[in-house]
Amino acid sequence: MSFSLPGFRRKWSCRGYMSAGAAMVTAALGLTLVLTETAEARKYASPLDIFGLGTPRPHAAVHSARNPASNPARIPLPKPRPEEAPKATAKATEEAPAETEAKPSPDKPNTSKPAEAAPPPEKQLSACRLALTEEIAVAPSIPDIRGPGACGGEDLVRLEAIVLPDKRKVAVKPAAILRCTMASAIADWIRKDMVPIATSLGTTISDLDNFDSFECRGRNRVVGAMLSEHGKANALDVRAIKLANGQSIGLTDRSMSRDVRERVLHSVCARFSTVLGPGSDWYHEDHIHLDLAQRRNDYRICQWNVWDPLPQVAPLLPAMRPEEAPPREVAAKPEAKDGADDEAAEKPSADKSAADGNKTQPHKPATKKRR
């Protein structure tokens, strides 16, 4: 194959010009792409550019354009308030800064100490608690009791003593846990009714025998029965009232004067809604039950039979034979011997009288005297 310059020009003239133009277009496009990529690369730092050579620092104008906060003239302002919008009240304007100050900033942590829990409000005293002062009774208040079921109650006191009008104290032994209303009723009963009865006996009251007060149980301690007033701290069982002279008024003692017990009966039935004693049931034969149960139409129950005193005469039945006494047969022999001696003593006297009678009357055989 031969090669020559004129032949090459004649054969490849057009194609050469076309190839050179295509190469120039390709170079221009490549340069454009390189410049575009360089501009885009300036926006993002290269992950492998350790010394920061690949990404030049932006100029001040570019920095201000990217950070609007540094250029206050370009911060967008809110739209003006429309005229038909309701005007903000002064109260809302005053509350807004307070809410802003109360809420902690999300950027700054709340370093203030947590607010201490406010103490619970004190419970207001009831009218009964205000009336039951230390001049009437020693009865400190105790917390409310919330027992199982409906047991317990509110406005409770521990009745320790009752203060008489002459400032003497009647101790409640043991101290009774009662509702304030029940404790007040017991105090009034002792002060106004029982003190005159004790005065008529020439003495005063010293102690109150508390047989039972608050106890979470059914009536008469029967399992499954209706809740007793004792379970509501609304009842008191009294067995006796002790006097200062050493004696006591046994409310169910039949040796006590009937008149005294009847006076006590009338006083408690007038003050309490329930009175149970001897004759009501066999559970109350040795004490008196008092409570303030609420019933329909203020119905009251007073069941207490004041029995007559026991007779003071000896029993009519013979006394039992003591064990050390001799048998009846042995005890009867001396009596028979004494009877024989009596017959022997009577026989000579009879013969003598018969001899005297023989002088005037004929002789008759002697007969044995019957006893």
Side-chain angles (χ1 to χ4, degrees), residues 76-93:
L77 298 177
K79 296 180 179 180
R81 186 180 182 85
E83 297 180 358
E84 61 275 8
K87 296 182 179 181
T89 59
K91 183 177 180 181
T93 307

Side-chain angles (χ1 to χ4, degrees), residues 97-172:
E99 293 179 358
T100 306
E101 295 176 1
K103 293 183 179 179
S105 175
D107 298 336
K108 298 180 180 180
N110 187 9
T111 57
S112 61
K113 296 182 180 180
E116 298 180 357
E122 296 183 0
K123 187 177 180 180
Q124 296 182 355
L125 299 179
S126 63
C128 174
R129 177 68 270 186
L130 295 174
L132 191 63
T133 61
E134 295 181 355
E135 297 179 355
I136 298 176
V138 180
S141 298
I142 63 175
D144 298 342
I145 298 178
R146 304 294 182 185
C151 286
E154 301 177 353
D155 195 18
L156 304 180
V157 300
R158 184 174 64 252
L159 184 60
E160 299 176 356
I162 301 169
V163 182
L164 300 181
D166 58 358
K167 305 303 179 181
R168 295 185 181 182
K169 293 183 179 180
V170 177
V172 180

Side-chain angles (χ1 to χ4, degrees), residues 177-212:
I177 297 178
L178 301 168
R179 295 190 180 186
C180 180
T181 53
M182 184 64 186
S184 179
I186 293 293
D188 290 343
W189 170 56
I190 293 294
R191 288 164 54 89
K192 299 179 180 179
D193 295 341
M194 295 307 301
V195 168
I197 295 176
T199 303
S200 65
L201 299 176
T203 182
T204 185
I205 302 174
S206 62
D207 299 334
L208 175 64
D209 186 3
N210 170 26
F211 190 58
D212 191 17

Side-chain angles (χ1 to χ4, degrees), residues 57-80:
R57 295 181 179 179
H59 296 287
V62 177
H63 177 71
S64 61
R66 291 183 179 180
N67 189 7
S70 63
N71 189 4
R74 302 186 61 180
I75 297 177
L77 298 177
K79 296 180 179 180

Side-chain angles (χ1 to χ4, degrees), residues 341-354:
D341 296 340
D342 294 340
E343 290 181 2
E346 292 176 358
K347 187 174 181 180
S349 59
D351 295 343
K352 185 177 181 180
S353 59

